[in-house]
mmCIF file of all heavy atoms in Angstrom:
data_model
loop_
_atom_site.group_PDB
_atom_site.id
_atom_site.type_symbol
_atom_site.label_atom_id
_atom_site.label_comp_id
_atom_site.label_asym_id
_atom_site.label_seq_id
_atom_site.Cartn_x
_atom_site.Cartn_y
_atom_site.Cartn_z
ATOM 1 N N VAL A 860 -18.859 3.818 3.534
ATOM 2 C CA VAL A 860 -20.081 3.787 2.728
ATOM 3 C C VAL A 860 -20.969 2.593 3.076
ATOM 4 O O VAL A 860 -21.933 2.317 2.355
ATOM 5 C CB VAL A 860 -19.733 3.754 1.225
ATOM 6 C CG1 VAL A 860 -18.984 4.998 0.820
ATOM 7 C CG2 VAL A 860 -18.931 2.501 0.879
ATOM 8 N N PHE A 861 -20.656 1.888 4.179
ATOM 9 C CA PHE A 861 -21.473 0.735 4.546
ATOM 10 C C PHE A 861 -22.825 1.161 5.106
ATOM 11 O O PHE A 861 -23.743 0.356 5.170
ATOM 12 C CB PHE A 861 -20.722 -0.132 5.563
ATOM 13 C CG PHE A 861 -21.336 -1.486 5.782
ATOM 14 C CD1 PHE A 861 -21.503 -2.370 4.723
ATOM 15 C CD2 PHE A 861 -21.756 -1.878 7.038
ATOM 16 C CE1 PHE A 861 -22.082 -3.609 4.914
ATOM 17 C CE2 PHE A 861 -22.331 -3.118 7.245
ATOM 18 C CZ PHE A 861 -22.494 -3.992 6.170
ATOM 19 N N ASP A 862 -22.949 2.390 5.536
ATOM 20 C CA ASP A 862 -24.251 2.928 5.921
ATOM 21 C C ASP A 862 -24.313 4.386 5.494
ATOM 22 O O ASP A 862 -23.347 4.951 4.987
ATOM 23 C CB ASP A 862 -24.497 2.775 7.418
ATOM 24 C CG ASP A 862 -23.560 3.644 8.252
ATOM 25 O OD1 ASP A 862 -22.537 4.102 7.686
ATOM 26 O OD2 ASP A 862 -23.833 3.859 9.446
ATOM 27 N N GLN A 863 -25.450 5.003 5.687
ATOM 28 C CA GLN A 863 -25.651 6.369 5.219
ATOM 29 C C GLN A 863 -25.053 7.406 6.161
ATOM 30 O O GLN A 863 -24.662 8.492 5.730
ATOM 31 C CB GLN A 863 -27.148 6.637 5.031
ATOM 32 C CG GLN A 863 -27.790 5.772 3.945
ATOM 33 C CD GLN A 863 -29.267 6.063 3.783
ATOM 34 O OE1 GLN A 863 -29.848 6.846 4.521
ATOM 35 N NE2 GLN A 863 -29.883 5.414 2.803
ATOM 36 N N SER A 864 -24.965 7.100 7.443
ATOM 37 C CA SER A 864 -24.433 8.077 8.389
ATOM 38 C C SER A 864 -22.923 8.237 8.265
ATOM 39 O O SER A 864 -22.390 9.330 8.441
ATOM 40 C CB SER A 864 -24.794 7.669 9.820
ATOM 41 O OG SER A 864 -24.197 6.429 10.153
ATOM 42 N N GLY A 865 -22.217 7.157 7.979
ATOM 43 C CA GLY A 865 -20.774 7.226 7.796
ATOM 44 C C GLY A 865 -19.984 7.318 9.077
ATOM 45 O O GLY A 865 -18.810 7.680 9.058
ATOM 46 N N LEU A 866 -20.594 6.977 10.219
ATOM 47 C CA LEU A 866 -19.898 7.032 11.506
ATOM 48 C C LEU A 866 -19.494 5.652 12.014
ATOM 49 O O LEU A 866 -18.944 5.538 13.101
ATOM 50 C CB LEU A 866 -20.763 7.736 12.556
ATOM 51 C CG LEU A 866 -21.032 9.223 12.315
ATOM 52 C CD1 LEU A 866 -21.947 9.768 13.394
ATOM 53 C CD2 LEU A 866 -19.721 10.008 12.277
ATOM 54 N N GLY A 867 -19.799 4.612 11.252
ATOM 55 C CA GLY A 867 -19.437 3.271 11.695
ATOM 56 C C GLY A 867 -20.513 2.584 12.497
ATOM 57 O O GLY A 867 -20.204 1.752 13.344
ATOM 58 N N GLY A 868 -21.770 2.898 12.240
ATOM 59 C CA GLY A 868 -22.867 2.273 12.959
ATOM 60 C C GLY A 868 -23.357 3.100 14.124
ATOM 61 O O GLY A 868 -22.725 4.082 14.540
ATOM 62 N N ALA A 869 -24.504 2.692 14.657
ATOM 63 C CA ALA A 869 -25.095 3.443 15.768
ATOM 64 C C ALA A 869 -24.209 3.413 17.004
ATOM 65 O O ALA A 869 -24.111 4.400 17.736
ATOM 66 C CB ALA A 869 -26.480 2.877 16.091
ATOM 67 N N ASP A 870 -23.548 2.301 17.237
ATOM 68 C CA ASP A 870 -22.654 2.152 18.396
ATOM 69 C C ASP A 870 -21.183 2.152 17.975
ATOM 70 O O ASP A 870 -20.341 1.645 18.712
ATOM 71 C CB ASP A 870 -22.977 0.856 19.148
ATOM 72 C CG ASP A 870 -24.379 0.862 19.731
ATOM 73 O OD1 ASP A 870 -24.864 1.959 20.090
ATOM 74 O OD2 ASP A 870 -24.993 -0.223 19.813
ATOM 75 N N ARG A 871 -20.892 2.681 16.798
ATOM 76 C CA ARG A 871 -19.525 2.688 16.247
ATOM 77 C C ARG A 871 -18.950 1.266 16.182
ATOM 78 O O ARG A 871 -17.769 1.048 16.418
ATOM 79 C CB ARG A 871 -18.598 3.570 17.088
ATOM 80 C CG ARG A 871 -19.180 4.895 17.520
ATOM 81 C CD ARG A 871 -19.346 5.851 16.366
ATOM 82 N NE ARG A 871 -19.952 7.099 16.803
ATOM 83 C CZ ARG A 871 -19.273 8.162 17.194
ATOM 84 N NH1 ARG A 871 -17.950 8.112 17.215
ATOM 85 N NH2 ARG A 871 -19.875 9.262 17.557
ATOM 86 N N GLN A 872 -19.798 0.299 15.842
ATOM 87 C CA GLN A 872 -19.351 -1.085 15.884
ATOM 88 C C GLN A 872 -18.429 -1.447 14.726
ATOM 89 O O GLN A 872 -17.776 -2.491 14.775
ATOM 90 C CB GLN A 872 -20.551 -2.047 15.905
ATOM 91 C CG GLN A 872 -21.492 -1.924 14.723
ATOM 92 C CD GLN A 872 -22.664 -1.004 15.036
ATOM 93 O OE1 GLN A 872 -22.539 -0.099 15.851
ATOM 94 N NE2 GLN A 872 -23.800 -1.268 14.414
ATOM 95 N N TRP A 873 -18.322 -0.638 13.689
ATOM 96 C CA TRP A 873 -17.337 -0.888 12.638
ATOM 97 C C TRP A 873 -16.559 0.383 12.275
ATOM 98 O O TRP A 873 -16.015 0.503 11.184
ATOM 99 C CB TRP A 873 -17.989 -1.502 11.394
ATOM 100 C CG TRP A 873 -18.888 -0.593 10.614
ATOM 101 C CD1 TRP A 873 -18.511 0.339 9.695
ATOM 102 C CD2 TRP A 873 -20.319 -0.557 10.652
ATOM 103 N NE1 TRP A 873 -19.612 0.972 9.159
ATOM 104 C CE2 TRP A 873 -20.734 0.426 9.728
ATOM 105 C CE3 TRP A 873 -21.293 -1.251 11.366
ATOM 106 C CZ2 TRP A 873 -22.075 0.723 9.517
ATOM 107 C CZ3 TRP A 873 -22.631 -0.960 11.142
ATOM 108 C CH2 TRP A 873 -23.010 0.017 10.236
ATOM 109 N N GLN A 874 -16.468 1.299 13.209
ATOM 110 C CA GLN A 874 -15.686 2.512 12.970
ATOM 111 C C GLN A 874 -14.191 2.192 13.057
ATOM 112 O O GLN A 874 -13.706 1.679 14.059
ATOM 113 C CB GLN A 874 -16.035 3.593 13.984
ATOM 114 C CG GLN A 874 -15.346 4.921 13.714
ATOM 115 C CD GLN A 874 -15.650 5.945 14.795
ATOM 116 O OE1 GLN A 874 -15.400 5.708 15.962
ATOM 117 N NE2 GLN A 874 -16.192 7.090 14.391
#
Side-chain angles (χ1 to χ4, degrees):
V860 298
F861 193 58
D862 67 343
Q863 296 180 356
S864 63
L866 294 177
D870 297 329
R871 317 290 178 92
Q872 59 265 28
W873 70 82
Q874 185 184 57

